[in-house]
Amino acid sequence: MTRQLGGILGPLTTPFDPETGDLAPVSFRCVLDAHLAAGLEGVVLAGSTGEAALLDDGERRALVEWARPRVPADRWLLVGVGSESTRLTIRRAADAAERGADAVLVVSPHYYGAAMMTGEALRAHFTRVADESPRPVVLYNIPKYAHLTLEPALVGELARHENIIGIKDSSGDLELLRGYLSSQSEEFAVLTGSGSGLHPALEMGARGGILAVALFAAPLTTDVWDAHRAGDRARAAEAQARLVPLAREIVAELGVAGVKAALDAVGIPGGPVRPPLVSLPPEQRARVRELLRAAELEPAA
């Protein structure tokens, strides 16, 4: 794929069979088809919202194999391949490429946090992954889970690598995003991972977003995107205002369990999370439905 990375992409959840806990292929295909039909520019498999840390490598490969025939050539299929090991990250990138991924999303190694703080280890890691990955690399900054931040200066260096095409910034920090945007070019795109900050990020120059909130609120996220591109700031701001409570309460506060509950509520298979995560209790599910009703997104009973 040679086109520029951009638009609104959905980081798909991973459906599990409620009885066995195994991957649920029929539900997965329903989830994938629903988000492509909603007009998203592409999907991400095995990301944070996809419970990547709880998937084994065979499951990761299966998801790509199931998705590739259903994702049109003009949409993005990104696959999360990050791990604590440079060697394993490269192997996962090769697995994803062999099964048809358009690009790979790479989160920072973070278990040995102190060793990553200087930037030298991260620079070497991302450079080697980009050197050896058969598909383009998208950096992934998510301090909430990685407990470290990719510094703008390091991102600026990595952005010059011919096989690194962008970054997803899920920090929600607009000043940090501004630092990344200083490295944006025709070859390197900055996308936000913050649904509550989508419109401000686009106004600053971000080329789109990879947004968990888009999974259950695609009409609102695409409305922000379309209005922004049309120069209709009032319409974009109105859609953004409806989006913020969903992104903050369902995604940021309730996490993957909240996203899956919201999917169930809007008629898309969400289902259980995988232990040690715990699905929402009834009172939190009721709150999710209340938020969706307020945004006019919950389907009629």
Side-chain angles (χ1 to χ4, degrees):
M1 180 173 289
T2 58
R3 66 192 177 102
Q4 191 179 75
L5 181 63
I8 306 299
L9 288 78
L12 297 191
T13 54
T14 303
F16 301 113
D17 185 290
E19 298 297 327
T20 66
D22 296 334
L23 296 184
V26 174
S27 293
F28 173 77
R29 293 182 180 107
C30 289
V31 169
L32 176 63
D33 291 349
H35 294 107
L36 293 174
L40 300 184
E41 285 295 316
V43 295
V44 179
L45 309 180
S48 301
T49 309
E51 299 174 72
L54 310 181
L55 301 176
D56 64 40
D57 283 346
E59 291 172 325
R60 290 167 177 264
R61 290 190 290 267
L63 292 174
V64 187
E65 289 172 358
W66 295 340
R68 181 68 275 177
R70 307 177 86 84
V71 178
D74 64 345
R75 310 281 187 98
W76 286 94
L77 176 58
L78 272 63
V79 179
V81 300
S83 79
E84 293 302 314
S85 158
T86 304
R87 179 187 180 95
L88 178 56
T89 302
I90 292 168
R91 192 182 77 197
R92 285 178 174 173
D95 284 346
E98 183 179 347
R99 288 158 180 80
D102 296 312
V104 295
L105 183 68
V106 183
V107 69
S108 303
H110 46 271
Y111 184 86
Y112 296 105
M116 301 297 114
M117 294 303 181
T118 64
E120 180 180 346
L122 292 177
R123 181 183 298 105
H125 172 76
F126 284 115
T127 299
R128 186 175 165 198
V129 171
D131 285 345
E132 299 190 33
S133 173
R135 292 290 184 271
V137 169
V138 179
L139 309 174
Y140 185 14
N141 181 61
I142 183 161
K144 178 179 180 179
Y145 295 142
H147 308 294
L148 59 84
T149 296
L150 290 177
E151 295 300 327
L154 174 59
V155 171
E157 292 180 46
L158 296 171
R160 295 193 287 272
H161 193 292
E162 63 181 10
N163 203 34
I164 297 179
I165 62 169
I167 183 170
K168 175 190 177 184
D169 173 34
S170 292
S171 69
D173 182 338
L174 292 178
E175 285 306 307
L176 182 62
L177 181 73
R178 193 183 308 278
Y180 295 152
L181 284 166
S182 67
S183 300
Q184 188 162 253
S185 66
E186 288 299 312
E187 294 77 31
F188 183 83
V190 177
L191 279 68
T192 182
S194 170
S196 60
L198 174 59
H199 186 219
L202 295 176
E203 290 277 280
M204 291 168 62
R207 295 215 178 108
I210 299 175
L211 306 172
V213 71
L215 299 178
F216 56 86
L220 289 181
T221 55
T222 55
D223 201 24
V224 173
W225 171 250
D226 291 341
H228 168 75
R229 295 185 72 193
D232 189 343
R233 298 180 71 181
R235 177 180 149 210
E238 189 277 331
Q240 179 68 53
R242 293 169 61 198
L243 198 60
V244 167
L246 306 177
R248 286 184 177 168
E249 294 197 44
I250 297 177
V251 178
E253 293 182 18
L254 298 177
V256 179
V259 174
K260 284 190 163 182
L263 284 169
D264 286 332
V266 299
I268 299 171
V273 291
R274 176 171 275 181
L277 297 182
V278 178
S279 295
L280 296 191
E283 62 272 17
Q284 288 184 318
R285 285 184 172 270
R287 176 57 179 162
V288 166
R289 297 185 76 94
E290 179 184 330
L291 287 163
L292 292 169
R293 280 194 295 271
E296 301 177 4
L297 290 174
E298 187 186 37

